[in-house]
Amino acid sequence: MFSRVIVDAAYALESSPRYLRVRRFFDNLLNNSNYRYKRYFDLFMMALILSSVFILIRDVKFRQEDWLAIFNDYIISVIFLIEYILRLWVSSNSAKIIIEQYEKDELLHRRFRARRAVFKVFHAKWKYMSSLPAIIDLLAIMPFFHEMRLFRLFIIFRVFKLFRYTQNMQQFGAILATKKFELLTLLTFSVLILFVASVLIYVMEALNPDSPVNTLFDALYWAIVTISTVGYGDVTPITHEGRIVAIAVIVSGVAVLAFATSIVVSAFSENIESIRENKLAQEVQKLKHFYLICGYGAIAGHTAAKLRRMGRNVVVLDENPERIESARKHHHLSIGIDPSSLETYRALGIDIDRQISAVILLGDTDVKNVYTALTLRSISRQVKILSILHDKKHRRKLEISGVNEVIYAQELIGQLSREYSGHPIAFEALYALRAENTGVQMDEILIDERMSRVIKTVKDLKIRGRRIILLGVQSQREKRFVFNPPQDYRLEENDLIVVIAENSMLHEYRVALHKEGV
Amino acid sequence: MDVTSIVVFGYGEYAKEIARQIRYDYARLVIYSLHEEYVEAAQADGLEAHLADLEDNWDELASYDLPTTRFICALEEEAENVFLTLSLRDRFPEAIIIAMASTQENASKLKLAGANKVVAELLTTSNLIIEKLEKPVITALLEELMDSQRDLQVAQITLREDSCAVGKHLNEVLKLNEHNVILLAVVDFRMSESFIFTAKGYNHMLDPGDVLVVIGYDKDIKAFEKEIGGSCETNSSHWSR
C-alpha cells in the first residue's frame, strides 16, 4: 500500500509540468549563475546578511530597538529558513530516485523495495545537509532562537553565507580546491610541528616558576604565535632548552609560510587562464546584444574595430592562443575557445537567439566555417549567420549548412573593378556615400508601429523642404525596393525608407520622426 | 568616352575573377602575366594572354588608346604589383590604373605609386560584412546598382559646352528635373575633384565639363540626358556606362 502511494506520487510529480516548472525556477534562482534573476536574488540575500551583521554590531553598545530585533530574529531568519528548505528540495530529485528504483525492480521482476528507495532519498538529502555550505546555512538560521545568547553569535555564520552569493569568492575557493593535496600536507605538517613544539615547550618551561608558560594552553598559544611569525612577545621561553625549541619553531614557521604562499600563488598562476575565461564569459553573459565573430584574422580585426566604432558590442572566439592574444591587444572581448564546439556555447551560457545580433564566420578555411555553421544551426534555427567564402566551389556547402549570407571577396573585388573601369565617377560617388567621413551618408529608417500611425504616405515623411533625398522604399507589401516613390505612395509599418542626407540633418530627421512621427 | 579595352595584369585568384566579370562588357580584354602557367591558363579560358616581364618598358601597351583603356594591376605578389603600378605610371602618365591590395598598408603604397583607384581587399570585405548586417536594404540596393544586367543604374553625365544646364544653378536643375531620376552629386573638375552632394544643399553653378551623378532606370536616365541636351538642340551630354 505504502509502496503504491509513493510510486504514484513520484510519477504524478514527474509528469506535472507545473511542478517541474516551479522546481526548475527555484533551481535556476538558487544555483544557476547564468540565470538572469539570480543576480538580483544574490544581491537581496547579501543585503539581508549585511543588515543582520549591522544589527549585531549595533546591539553591542546600544539598546536593541524592538522592530530591529523582530526583523533580525524572525524575518531574516524565516527567509533564510525558507531558502534552506528550497535548497534542500532542489538538491536532489526525490521523485526521480523513487521512479528509478521502481523501474529497476520492475525490470528485474522483483517486488518494489520502497524502504530502499526512501533510504536513497534520505541519503541524497543527508549528503547535501552534511556539506559545508548547507551547514553554514543551517547555522545562519540559528539566531532565530534569540533567547539563547550564544545563538546570537551564530549571526557571524551569516557572513560566511556571503560566499554563496559572490561568484569571485566561489572561484577563489574552487582555485584553492585544486591544491587540496598540497594544502592538506601543509596543514598536517603545521599541526605536527605545533603539537611537538607545544609539548616540548611545556616540558621545558612549565616547572620553571619564572616562565610565563604554565599550562598546556599557554604552550599551544606560544607555539601558534611563534610559528605564524607574529611573535607578540607576551609569552617567551626563558630556559636555554625552551629557546632551542623556539629556534626550531621559528625556522619551521618561515618554511610553513613560504610553503603556504607558494601553494596559493601557484594555484592562481596555473588557473589564471581559466579565471580570465570565466570572467570574460561573465562579461559576455551581461551583454544584451552583440555580434559574434568566429575566427580572428585581418578581416575580423577590421570588422570588429569598425563595429565597435559604431557602438556595437563584439565578441571574438578563436581556439588559437596567438590569434586570441592579438585580438586582446586590440581590446576586443575575446575568448580562447573553439567556436565549432557545442560545449563552447554551453560553457558561455549565452542565449543565442536573444543576445546574438548575428554570427560572422571568418575561419581560415571553408571546412571550418561549414562546421561552425552546423554547430550553431544545431543550437539555433533563427540566428543570422554570415560567412566568408574562401573557395568558390564551396559556396553551396556553406548555404546548405545554414549560412544566410555568403561573402566571396574575390567576386566583390571583381565587381568593384568592373564598376570602376566603366564609370569611375558614379562609382566613386557611391563609394563615398559608404565611407565614414564624407559628411553625407545613405541610411535606412524603419517605419515602426508608432510612426506608421502618423505616416501614411511618402508626403507625410515631410522630406520636401529638408535637405534630404529619398532614394526609395523597401516595401513590405510589394516585397521589393520601390525607387523614388511618388508623394502619394502608401507607406506601412515595417517599411524601410532609404535616405541620403548630411550626417547632422539625418540625425535631426531621425529624432523628429521618432518623437512625433515628424 | 566609352571604355573599349581592359588590360589585366596577373591571373591569380583575384585577376581571374575580374576577368570573368568583365570579359563580355568590353571590346577587348588582354591578360599579361609574369608566369608562363598563368598565361596558358588564361589562354585555356579563351582569353588573349601574353607573357610579360617586370623589367619591360611596356612598349607594346603604347598602341592602346589610353583614354578608352583601363589598366588593372592584380599581380599575385604585392611588391611586384606596386612596382608594376609605378612602372606603368612612369611610362603612361595619363593612363587610368586600378590596383588591387590586400591590406590598407599596401593600398597606401599603391596610391603613392600612382594608382588612380586602389581596391583594398581587407577593408572592402569587412565593410561589406558590416553593411550586410547593419544596412541590408542599402547593400542590396547598391548591389543592384552595380549589376549591369539590372534596370536601376547609377550613371554619370558630363555636361558639354552647349548643354542647357550650363550656367544654371544646381537647384534650378533639380527643380526642372521631372524625370524619375535622382541627382546624387556633381563633380566640378575646375574647382576640385571632390563631390558636391546635392543632399548638402550647396547651390553650385554648373559649368561645362561638370559631371552629374544620377540614379534611375535606364530609360529615365536617357530621357534626362536628352532633356538636358535636347533643349540645347544637340545631344550635348555624354554618359559612359
Side-chain angles (χ1 to χ4, degrees):
Chain A
M1 178 65 189
F2 170 68
S3 317
R4 200 63 258 164
V5 171
I6 62 164
V7 171
D8 286 350
Y11 272 111
L13 287 177
E14 274 301 278
S15 55
S16 156
R18 198 170 165 196
Y19 168 80
L20 292 176
R21 205 170 49 239
V22 173
R23 192 172 188 285
R24 204 178 312 124
F25 168 75
F26 282 115
D27 196 14
N28 279 331
L29 192 69
L30 296 168
N31 300 317
N32 181 1
S33 54
N34 297 332
Y35 188 57
R36 215 183 322 172
Y37 302 113
K38 186 178 189 296
R39 227 175 118 231
Y40 303 110
F41 173 74
D42 289 351
L43 285 174
F44 171 69
M45 295 305 275
M46 282 195 271
L48 283 187
I49 292 167
L50 293 176
S51 59
S52 186
V53 173
F54 168 76
I55 293 166
L56 174 75
I57 295 166
R58 195 181 173 281
D59 190 29
V60 176
K61 292 211 169 169
F62 299 94
R63 207 193 133 263
Q64 184 80 290
E65 302 268 352
D66 283 349
W67 66 272
L68 273 181
I70 291 170
F71 176 69
N72 195 29
D73 297 341
Y74 296 106
I75 298 178
I76 296 183
S77 298
V78 167
I79 292 172
F80 286 176
L81 180 65
I82 294 170
E83 188 211 2
Y84 183 81
I85 294 168
L86 287 172
R87 279 189 192 280
L88 187 63
W89 175 38
V90 299
S91 68
S92 58
N93 190 344
S94 306
K96 204 172 162 191
I97 294 172
I98 293 168
I99 290 171
E100 270 171 11
Q101 181 65 40
Y102 175 73
E103 286 177 350
K104 194 172 152 194
D105 289 342
E106 280 284 294
L107 194 73
L108 298 172
H109 298 289
R110 64 183 181 205
R111 242 183 97 236
F112 170 54
R113 295 181 293 175
R115 205 178 294 171
R116 190 172 169 75
V118 173
F119 173 76
K120 275 188 179 171
V121 167
F122 277 108
H123 180 72
K125 296 290 178 206
W126 175 250
K127 216 172 144 190
Y128 170 74
M129 285 165 76
S130 56
S131 67
L132 187 65
I135 293 170
I136 291 172
D137 281 349
L138 190 67
L139 292 174
I141 305 168
M142 288 302 176
F144 183 66
F145 308 101
H146 63 286
E147 281 79 14
M148 297 171 78
R149 183 83 200 167
L150 182 66
F151 279 157
R152 298 216 141 193
L153 289 177
F154 278 60
I155 283 179
I156 219 66
F157 281 102
R158 291 184 175 176
V159 179
F160 288 121
K161 257 172 88 72
L162 281 176
F163 280 85
R164 259 201 193 288
Y165 310 111
T166 46
Q167 281 192 359
N168 287 349
M169 284 297 188
Q170 283 174 13
Q171 218 164 46
F172 182 76
I175 288 162
L176 287 187
T178 61
K179 294 280 171 184
K180 209 169 165 182
F181 171 73
E182 289 87 338
L183 287 170
L184 268 176
T185 312
L186 177 69
L187 187 71
T188 317
F189 177 67
S190 315
V191 168
L192 208 72
I193 289 178
L194 281 176
F195 177 72
V196 173
S198 313
V199 171
L200 278 179
I201 205 80
Y202 180 73
V203 171
M204 305 298 175
E205 301 269 317
L207 288 176
N208 192 324
D210 297 332
S211 172
V213 181
N214 295 316
T215 63
L216 203 56
F217 180 76
D218 288 340
L220 182 67
Y221 170 74
W222 169 84
I224 290 173
V225 167
T226 310
I227 204 171
S228 65
T229 72
V230 172
Y232 289 128
D234 52 346
V235 178
T236 48
I238 54 164
T239 62
H240 281 295
E241 297 81 355
R243 283 178 180 160
I244 290 168
V245 175
I247 291 169
V249 175
I250 289 166
V251 172
S252 44
V254 172
V256 166
L257 262 190
F259 193 19
T261 315
S262 73
I263 290 173
V264 175
V265 169
S266 73
F268 273 89
S269 61
E270 279 166 23
N271 289 288
I272 194 80
E273 205 44 47
S274 78
I275 297 170
R276 183 146 71 166
E277 302 294 306
N278 276 340
K279 204 80 208 147
L280 288 171
Q282 281 171 24
E283 269 182 57
V284 173
Q285 283 157 18
K286 282 182 203 157
L287 296 176
K288 271 192 174 166
H289 300 289
F290 62 86
Y291 284 113
L292 184 71
I293 296 184
C294 301
Y296 190 81
I299 295 177
H302 267 102
T303 311
K306 191 168 175 189
L307 281 170
R308 285 183 52 212
R309 274 204 300 280
M310 291 164 74
R312 308 289 182 270
N313 294 313
V314 178
V315 175
V316 178
L317 301 185
D318 196 316
E319 73 272 34
N320 183 316
E322 282 166 24
R323 286 201 293 253
I324 219 70
E325 204 44 53
S326 150
R328 279 182 191 147
K329 269 188 200 151
H330 291 93
H331 312 292
H332 302 311
L333 186 52
S334 330
I335 306 180
I337 38 179
D338 181 6
S340 62
S341 149
L342 264 180
E343 190 45 47
T344 294
Y345 302 96
R346 276 196 208 111
L348 275 178
I350 47 172
D351 183 341
I352 292 190
D353 288 340
R354 195 175 53 84
Q355 287 179 281
I356 298 184
S357 310
V359 181
I360 308 167
L361 303 180
L362 299 174
D364 294 338
T365 61
D366 291 328
V367 176
K368 181 101 188 141
N369 289 336
V370 163
Y371 194 56
T372 312
L374 284 171
T375 306
L376 285 156
R377 273 288 165 256
S378 70
I379 313 171
S380 164
R381 290 194 163 276
Q382 290 170 27
V383 68
K384 183 171 183 174
I385 305 177
L386 187 145
S387 174
I388 191 125
L389 174 69
H390 294 279
D391 191 332
K392 212 155 79 174
K393 64 177 183 281
H394 294 144
R395 180 187 284 271
R396 182 96 186 102
K397 294 180 187 95
L398 274 169
E399 283 167 356
I400 294 171
S401 61
V403 172
N404 306 91
E405 294 268 8
V406 177
I407 289 181
Y408 184 47
Q410 284 86 335
E411 187 177 55
L412 173 75
I413 282 163
Q415 215 174 33
L416 293 180
S417 315
R418 190 194 65 209
E419 280 304 303
Y420 191 78
S421 308
H423 35 269
I425 297 172
F427 169 82
E428 283 284 4
L430 284 184
Y431 202 76
L433 280 178
R434 298 164 97 163
E436 287 167 272
N437 47 7
T438 44
V440 175
Q441 58 167 314
M442 195 189 292
D443 211 350
E444 318 177 338
I445 302 175
L446 177 78
I447 306 288
D448 60 21
E449 189 265 328
R450 220 178 61 165
M451 278 151 70
S452 68
R453 273 184 252 151
V454 189
I455 300 165
K456 303 285 180 203
T457 61
V458 167
K459 196 180 172 194
D460 300 329
L461 287 169
K462 297 183 183 165
I463 296 270
R464 278 195 178 165
R466 291 176 198 256
R467 287 168 187 169
I468 296 173
I469 295 174
L470 174 68
L471 211 55
V473 179
Q474 177 68 34
S475 164
Q476 285 294 314
R477 188 177 66 246
E478 296 191 45
K479 299 270 177 261
R480 70 180 183 100
F481 183 77
V482 180
F483 171 73
N484 199 15
Q487 288 290 306
D488 58 351
Y489 184 80
R490 195 151 55 83
L491 292 172
E492 287 173 1
E493 187 183 337
N494 290 331
D495 279 356
L496 266 167
I497 61 169
V498 176
V499 292
I500 300 172
E502 198 258 330
N503 293 349
S504 54
M505 169 59 81
L506 189 68
H507 177 71
E508 199 178 282
Y509 184 62
R510 263 178 182 284
V511 174
L513 271 183
H514 281 280
K515 254 188 185 164
E516 33 150 5
V518 194
Chain B
M1 232 173 281
D2 282 350
V3 177
T4 53
S5 312
I6 302 276
V7 181
V8 177
F9 297 88
Y11 203 62
E13 262 183 284
Y14 286 95
K16 226 183 221 176
E17 187 61 38
I18 294 166
R20 192 186 69 79
Q21 294 218 19
I22 58 177
R23 65 184 299 177
Y24 302 114
D25 291 357
Y26 302 97
R28 192 174 176 206
L29 168 66
V30 186
I31 309 286
Y32 281 93
S33 176
L34 307 179
H35 309 287
E36 186 67 49
E37 64 270 28
Y38 282 142
V39 174
E40 283 166 14
Q43 283 166 347
D45 290 340
L47 297 165
E48 180 189 344
H50 305 285
L51 189 65
D53 190 330
L54 269 186
E55 308 293 323
D56 273 359
N57 203 24
W58 302 108
D59 289 333
E60 66 265 45
L61 298 178
S63 62
Y64 287 86
D65 173 34
L66 288 182
T68 60
T69 304
R70 301 284 180 265
F71 293 143
I72 301 180
C73 301
L75 289 180
E76 300 73 38
E77 281 287 318
E78 299 264 2
E80 287 176 347
N81 215 26
V82 174
F83 188 81
L84 170 74
T85 309
L86 199 74
S87 313
L88 289 174
R89 177 56 69 227
D90 182 42
R91 180 77 172 77
F92 309 107
E94 299 299 315
I96 292 180
I97 305 171
I98 304 158
M100 305 296 127
S102 62
T103 61
Q104 205 52 29
E105 189 190 318
N106 280 317
S108 5
K109 281 181 194 153
L110 285 163
K111 269 265 174 216
L112 282 174
N116 297 72
K117 176 73 195 167
V118 181
V119 181
E121 178 204 341
L122 273 182
L123 201 68
T124 315
T125 313
S126 75
N127 280 350
L128 183 74
I129 291 172
I130 293 167
E131 280 170 9
K132 282 215 183 240
L133 295 170
E134 294 279 324
K135 297 175 179 177
V137 173
I138 290 180
T139 315
L141 173 65
L142 291 174
E143 275 171 7
E144 189 177 336
L145 289 175
M146 282 196 178
D147 186 347
S148 54
Q149 307 298 311
R150 309 292 281 266
D151 273 352
L152 196 60
Q153 296 285 330
V154 56
Q156 56 190 60
I157 300 175
T158 312
L159 298 180
R160 291 232 305 246
E161 293 275 351
D162 48 358
S163 163
C164 66
V166 168
K168 285 184 179 148
H169 279 106
L170 191 55
N171 283 350
E172 285 177 77
V173 178
L174 284 173
K175 272 179 205 157
L176 282 174
N177 170 23
E178 284 175 359
H179 297 279
N180 192 22
V181 293
I182 287 177
L183 180 54
L184 192 66
V186 180
V187 187
D188 183 347
F189 285 103
R190 279 201 279 199
M191 280 168 69
S192 78
E193 288 194 15
S194 60
F195 290 101
I196 301 160
F197 282 101
T198 50
K200 274 197 171 175
Y202 178 66
N203 206 0
H204 171 74
M205 171 87 86
L206 294 167
D207 301 312
D210 282 3
V211 179
L212 309 183
V213 179
V214 294
I215 299 178
Y217 289 102
D218 215 7
K219 61 175 180 9
D220 296 320
I221 293 176
K222 277 180 180 152
F224 177 65
E225 177 201 11
K226 206 171 176 185
E227 190 188 278
I228 288 187
S231 58
C232 301
E233 291 177 2
T234 51
N235 188 6
S236 57
S237 63
H238 164 81
W239 60 281
S240 56
R241 282 185 51 210

